[in-house]
Amino acid sequence: MAPEPDAFDEQELHLLEEAADDLAFGLEALRTRHRRLQAEQEILCLNRALRTRAAVNSALGRATDEASLFQEICRVVVEGCGYRLAWVGIPEPDEIMTVRPWRSRGSTRVS
């Protein structure tokens, strides 16, 4: 029994310390898992960007004209790299710097 009525005895303190240690361990495990999942997601995004770069470089090597190059880039970005939409715009010579879509592939619709 504890020396004071509202105090914990040695055994209770020991159990509370073990519970606190278990909680700290569990929290750290959750945080580690969360960081790992974030890192895995970042790797997936970077790999997709790298595949996109390689696909664009390949399209550059096969291009015969500007219009077909941009159409092919839009195609490989959507079909080969998994992006929902790709487009190339042409700047208009106006005061508000309008960009007019010239070539595109994909959809802005969310399924």
Side-chain angles (χ1 to χ4, degrees):
M1 184 99 190
E4 296 175 30
D6 60 344
F8 296 110
D9 65 20
E10 289 294 319
Q11 189 177 16
E12 291 171 317
L13 282 173
H14 180 72
L15 288 172
L16 288 171
E17 287 173 357
E18 285 181 349
D21 289 344
D22 290 347
L23 179 61
F25 178 81
L27 286 172
E28 186 56 34
L30 283 173
R31 290 176 181 149
T32 300
R33 181 175 179 228
H34 180 70
R35 286 190 301 268
R36 188 189 80 242
L37 291 173
Q38 283 181 315
E40 288 172 356
Q41 186 62 38
E42 185 175 344
I43 288 169
L44 290 173
C45 289
L46 291 171
N47 282 339
R48 183 165 81 159
L50 186 58
R51 281 193 318 273
T52 302
R53 183 177 181 185
V56 167
N57 284 337
S58 179
L60 279 168
R62 295 186 312 270
T64 57
D65 62 88
E66 194 173 89
S68 64
L69 168 65
F70 291 139
Q71 190 63 43
E72 177 65 5
I73 286 173
C74 291
R75 186 192 70 74
V76 298
V77 165
V78 171
E79 294 177 11
C81 300
Y83 289 92
R84 190 171 43 216
L85 173 70
W87 65 276
V88 175
I90 303 289
E92 296 287 340
D94 58 15
E95 292 177 10
I96 60 170
M97 303 176 77
T98 304
V99 176
R100 178 176 51 90
W102 189 46
R103 296 288 185 263
S104 66
R105 187 72 160 232
S107 173
T108 58
R109 295 169 118 181
V110 178
S111 303

